[in-house]
């Protein structure tokens, strides 16, 4: 009996690597809406790096950053500088100003604030008295940004009059989050905020500014290892880099929904063109045949 189990274990060990290439989530894609999605980001569970899921997801073709304070649309990603931009729906812009809840990041996430310029709006005057841990937080040398932003007629959305006094606005520099990982507007006694990624070529025209919150992300040793050793080869073969729970081992998710531990082209065969051996319609019978052979060998031996 022991020999029987040894032989069965051998067969399972031989065929297991082939059976395990099927994708847990065959929906891994290289785009989400109009944004290119590459490692370490992914469009769903099992896609990209496990460090970045579930912080970045793609429900209904909208790439989102999820934190304990809300979900924020991601509008751009720079893979060369490891940066992205989010546009919180409650953030004020020149065309729309409103009261805002706190915004924050999870401490365990691989994200931190990038070089955005925050303006705190509708604050209790004078903003020169605004302090965090006893230190002033308003950059008076950049107060001209407040003057320009307050020319936008939408200031009435913050319950301010047209052309409100500039001492209710603060250029928060350097911007930082509190111990909860949040921009706490209530503690700062401000009604809203805006964040400027770039003034473009119009430093005094807030209609032309690029609004959003810039974030930096960091690769861990896990991600660096797989980028250097496996992910590039996977992407070059037409696959999407992902992971296989619960061990979170690296996998290369191919276009037809199969998984490979190496790269998609490893499983290509000539008579199936660009389709993977275990993902095409023809391969279903191939896989069934292998299972039949395995079952027959086990019964015959026993």
């Amino acid at each position: 009996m022991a020999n029987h189990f040894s032989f069965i274990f051998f067969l399972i060990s031989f065929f297991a690597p082939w059976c395990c290439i099927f994708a847990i989530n065959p929906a891994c894609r290289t785009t989400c809406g109009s944004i290119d999605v590459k490692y370490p980001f992914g469009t769903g569970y099992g896609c990209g790096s496990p460090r970045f899921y579930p912080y970045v997801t793609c429900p209904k073709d909208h790439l989102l950053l999820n934190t304990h304070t809300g979900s924020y649309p991601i509008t751009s990603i720079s893979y060369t500088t490891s940066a992205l931009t989010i546009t919180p729906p409650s953030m004020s812009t020149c065309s729309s100003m409103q009261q805002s809840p706190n915004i924050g990041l999870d401490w365990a996430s691989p994200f931190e604030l990038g070089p955005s310029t925050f303006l705190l709006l509708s604050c209790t005057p004078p903003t020169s008295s605004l302090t965090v841990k006893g230190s002033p937080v308003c950059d008076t040398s950049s107060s001209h940004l407040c003057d320009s932003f307050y020319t936008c007629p939408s200031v009435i959305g913050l319950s301010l009059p047209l052309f409100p006094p500039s001492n209710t606005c603060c250029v928060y520099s350097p911007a930082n989050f509190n111990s909860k990982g949040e921009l706490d507007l209530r503690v700062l006694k401000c009604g809203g905020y805006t964040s400027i990624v770039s003034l473009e070529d119009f430093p005094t025209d807030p209609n032309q500014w690029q609004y959003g919150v810039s974030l930096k992300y960091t690769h861990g040793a896990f991600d660096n290892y797989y980028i250097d050793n496996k992910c590039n080869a996977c992407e070059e073969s037409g696959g999407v880099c992902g992971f296989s729970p619960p061990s979170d081992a690296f996998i290369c998710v191919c276009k037809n929904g199969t998984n490979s531990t190496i790269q998609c082209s490893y499983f290509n065969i000539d008579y199936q063109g660009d389709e993977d051996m275990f993902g095409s319609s023809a391969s279903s019978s191939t896989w069934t045949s292998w299972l039949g052979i395995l079952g027959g060998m086990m019964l015959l031996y026993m």
Side-chain angles (χ1 to χ4, degrees), residues 35-293:
I35 299 179
D36 291 333
V37 179
K38 300 179 182 179
Y39 195 86
F41 304 113
T43 57
Y45 184 57
C47 309
S49 165
R51 291 182 67 246
F52 286 78
Y53 182 89
Y55 298 114
V56 175
T57 57
C58 179
K60 299 180 180 179
D61 272 342
H62 292 89
L63 198 62
L64 299 178
L65 174 70
N66 306 296
T67 79
H68 67 282
T69 56
S71 295
Y72 309 106
I74 298 174
T75 52
S76 66
I77 300 176
S78 171
Y79 293 96
T80 56
T81 61
S82 298
L84 58 81
T85 301
I86 61 173
T87 53
S90 61
M91 182 186 72
S92 294
T93 65
C94 187
S95 59
S96 175
M97 297 192 199
Q98 56 193 311
Q99 300 288 322
S100 304
N102 293 352
I103 178 177
L105 295 172
D106 295 358
W107 285 118
S109 76
F111 298 98
E112 61 182 22
L113 278 175
S116 304
T117 301
F118 276 82
L119 305 186
L120 305 180
L121 311 171
S122 188
C123 303
T124 300
T127 53
S128 57
S129 63
L130 272 179
T131 61
V132 173
K133 295 181 179 180
S135 300
V137 299
C138 298
D139 180 9
T140 56
S141 65
S142 300
S143 60
H144 61 280
L145 296 176
C146 284
D147 296 333
S148 296
F149 193 71
Y150 267 7
T151 63
C152 300
S154 62
V155 293
I156 60 175
L158 287 168
S159 300
L160 292 171
L162 293 175
F163 306 105
S166 59
N167 66 351
T168 60
C169 174
C170 166
V171 180
Y172 184 24
S173 179
N176 203 355
F177 289 156
N178 62 17
S179 59
K180 295 180 180 179
E182 298 179 14
L183 173 64
D184 195 333
L185 295 170
R186 304 293 86 81
V187 169
L188 293 168
K189 298 180 180 180
C190 299
Y193 73 96
T194 189
S195 179
I196 307 163
V197 175
S198 172
L199 300 176
E200 301 291 342
D201 294 324
F202 306 93
T204 60
D205 186 357
N207 285 291
Q208 305 295 328
W209 296 350
Q210 180 184 350
Y211 296 95
V213 179
S214 177
L215 303 175
K216 300 284 288 183
Y217 63 90
T218 56
H219 293 285
F222 180 95
D223 299 316
N224 286 331
Y225 172 81
Y226 283 119
I227 289 174
D228 293 339
N229 293 277
K230 292 186 176 182
C231 192
N232 291 334
C234 171
E235 292 179 343
E236 289 174 359
S237 71
V240 178
C241 303
F243 61 95
S244 176
S247 64
D248 292 342
F250 175 86
I251 55 173
C252 184
V253 184
C254 304
K255 292 180 180 179
N256 53 22
T258 59
N259 287 353
S260 164
T261 57
I262 305 175
Q263 55 179 297
C264 293
S265 58
Y266 183 81
F267 295 101
N268 289 345
I269 55 178
D270 293 339
Y271 68 86
Q272 287 180 317
D274 293 332
E275 295 190 11
D276 287 351
M277 182 167 61
F278 291 94
S280 67
S281 58
S283 69
S284 298
S285 60
T286 302
W287 178 240
T288 302
S289 299
W290 278 112
L291 287 178
I293 293 171

